[in-house]
Amino acid sequence: MGLTSRTTVYATAALAALCVALLVWLWPRFARSGPWQVLGRLGVIGVTQLTILAAFACALNSSYQFFGSWGELLGDVDTAPVGVTQAAGGSGGSVNEVSDGHGALVQPAGDQQLNRVSGLPDGPAAAVGRVESVRIVGRRTGVVDPAFVYLPPQYFQKAYHRMRFPVIVALSGYPGSIFNLAQHLRVSQTAGELQAKGRMQPTIMVMIRPTVAPPRDTECVDVPGGPQAETFLAKDLPEAIRSGYRAGHDAGSWGVMGYSSGGSCALQLTMRNPGVYTTAAALSPDYRVKDDPTTGNLFGSGPGRQARVDGHDLMWRLGHLPVPQVSVLVANSRHGEKGYPETEAFIRAVRAPMRVVSVLPENGSHNFPTWVREMPAALTWMSGQLTFPQDVVPRHHVKRPAGAGGTPRPAPGRGRGSLRAEGAEPGPAATARR
């Protein structure tokens, strides 16, 4: 029985119900006084509570896909690169074999719960697009990470067959999964709707989790002597996507977004690797990476530890290092989320040539309903920052969808533009600063 299967959920629920029934049946036998009777009562109560908690945990994990297998839950995960797999051919095929001696870097994978995601494209790919289930193989790190890749309809249309496309990488929080991105954040569904309305240019969406060594929370950090999460996301992932899809080569056509710790990751990747990602959208992020029980020691020890800690403190970077020429969006609710003061401080600290905009709904919580409300504004803005790749077709041959320009760029100085999050409370929901 798989950890996320319905059979596991039903089995744990049945076991919990059985334990409750046994508790009721056996309770009179333990009603008498005496040490063994007291121990018996404590034992049956403890076992019953554990089975009930296990049933709830299995149901919750099946819904949100925190851990995809028993191996992930127990920390026993095979990260060795898999063998070469030739993708099935077909009209407008996308996943290709890489003949560099390392095997295919993007490989077709099993369903990975994709069949449980609602609202996916249904129809000819050239009309509605397609979502593919793949594995990303890190050539440098040896990491193998599952991913969903959304390809817009234009990717399969003859008029675009020589064109490359901009890419947005969407990162889940911790513990999280690509299922959360597809089902609960509705990444591909929202992108498809915005593109159909002309509010977003045709864009490849890569849904992936930053947890490269589950169940450890690696926080997009290259851990000394441990998992190399930043290298995988900043080097291996772009290389793999470019090898398997018609994705742009220039950093100006690459952006990264995420929610919660995935949003923190998006900011870290963009500010630390401006030659890879030039645009980021962070929904409810933190601005500093720190050790906790889920991360373990991320920064090692010795004389270099403090430098590594400071390097992953974005407020420290803004105050002590040259500011990268990137554009970022940060989102946090004024009431209901504890990170609002830190978000305000981050916005104030940003200076040229870096540019920041914000989505600040009046009310919200640290949950998917809030992030879903912020997604249309975030994707529309990101689309306006990313350039349609020009490494295949001259610029004048590319027709950019109407309304895909995002927010107007403010004039030099401290000018402000506006960006409104759909579904947000009335009032100014976003500002731009450079």
Side-chain angles (χ1 to χ4, degrees), residues 11-21 48 51-53 55:
T12 53
L15 180 61
L18 176 62
C19 286
V20 171
T48 301
T51 55
I52 293 173
L53 287 174

Side-chain angles (χ1 to χ4, degrees), residues 61-400:
N61 185 69
S62 179
S63 177
Y64 287 94
Q65 300 286 299
F66 297 130
F67 299 99
S69 66
W70 294 105
E72 285 189 10
L73 180 64
L74 301 174
D76 181 19
V77 181
D78 182 12
T79 59
V82 293
V84 176
T85 302
Q86 175 65 48
S91 177
S94 49
V95 181
N96 304 314
E97 183 179 11
V98 180
S99 56
D100 62 356
H102 298 280
L105 302 182
V106 180
Q107 301 185 352
D111 181 77
Q112 299 185 129
Q113 306 295 321
L114 189 61
N115 66 332
R116 295 179 55 194
V117 178
S118 60
L120 293 181
D122 184 16
V128 296
R130 187 168 74 197
V131 178
E132 297 186 341
S133 175
V134 300
R135 290 174 296 190
I136 305 296
V137 179
R139 183 172 64 84
R140 298 165 184 81
T141 61
V143 170
V144 180
D145 214 15
F148 293 148
V149 179
Y150 165 76
L151 303 170
Q154 291 83 353
Y155 191 92
F156 304 95
Q157 295 171 6
K158 186 176 181 179
Y160 288 79
H161 78 284
R162 287 178 51 82
M163 295 186 184
R164 293 183 176 271
F165 289 79
V167 178
I168 294 177
V169 176
L171 302 174
S172 66
Y174 176 87
S177 68
I178 56 177
F179 177 82
N180 289 351
L181 292 165
Q183 173 67 9
H184 300 294
L185 196 61
R186 304 188 80 252
V187 170
S188 58
Q189 299 91 320
T190 304
E193 292 167 3
L194 292 174
Q195 292 173 29
K197 295 176 182 177
R199 294 174 55 192
M200 182 179 178
Q201 61 184 322
T203 304
I204 296 172
M205 306 292 298
V206 180
M207 292 163 270
I208 197 165
R209 60 181 185 180
T211 307
V212 300
R216 185 179 185 181
D217 181 10
T218 47
E219 288 281 349
C220 295
V221 172
D222 280 348
V223 181
Q228 303 294 288
E230 183 175 16
T231 296
F232 174 75
L233 293 167
K235 295 181 179 179
D236 285 346
L237 176 62
E239 177 188 50
I241 294 300
R242 292 188 184 107
S243 75
Y245 299 95
R246 300 197 311 276
H249 289 290
D250 186 77
S253 60
W254 280 74
V256 57
M257 67 171 300
Y259 65 88
S260 190
S261 62
S264 307
C265 233
L267 292 177
Q268 294 275 343
L269 288 170
T270 302
M271 292 181 64
R272 290 173 56 85
N273 302 275
V276 179
Y277 301 104
T278 57
T279 302
L283 313 181
S284 305
D286 290 322
Y287 302 94
R288 178 168 66 96
V289 175
K290 55 185 178 181
D291 292 340
D292 63 34
T294 66
T295 66
N297 184 357
L298 291 173
F299 304 106
S301 57
R305 173 180 168 82
Q306 190 57 48
R308 290 189 287 271
V309 171
D310 291 339
H312 287 278
D313 184 336
L314 300 185
M315 296 298 292
W316 185 91
R317 295 184 70 89
L318 288 172
H320 295 84
L321 298 179
V323 178
Q325 189 171 350
V326 296
S327 298
V328 302
L329 177 149
V330 290
N332 224 295
S333 302
R334 298 175 189 270
H335 302 99
E337 291 193 86
K338 64 180 182 180
Y340 180 75
E342 289 77 13
T343 295
E344 285 280 87
F346 177 82
I347 293 170
R348 290 193 299 269
V350 171
R351 64 185 188 278
M354 185 174 172
R355 180 169 177 257
V356 61
V357 301
S358 58
V359 175
L360 305 173
E362 194 65 27
N363 296 286
S365 300
H366 197 81
N367 57 26
F368 284 108
T370 296
W371 300 324
V372 167
R373 292 169 57 208
E374 297 165 347
M375 275 287 289
L379 287 179
T380 300
W381 176 82
M382 290 188 77
S383 182
Q385 313 310 306
L386 299 178
T387 58
F388 207 105
Q390 306 306 315
D391 45 3
V392 175
V393 177
R395 184 179 184 85
H396 65 274
H397 285 173
V398 178
K399 292 184 178 180
R400 189 179 176 112

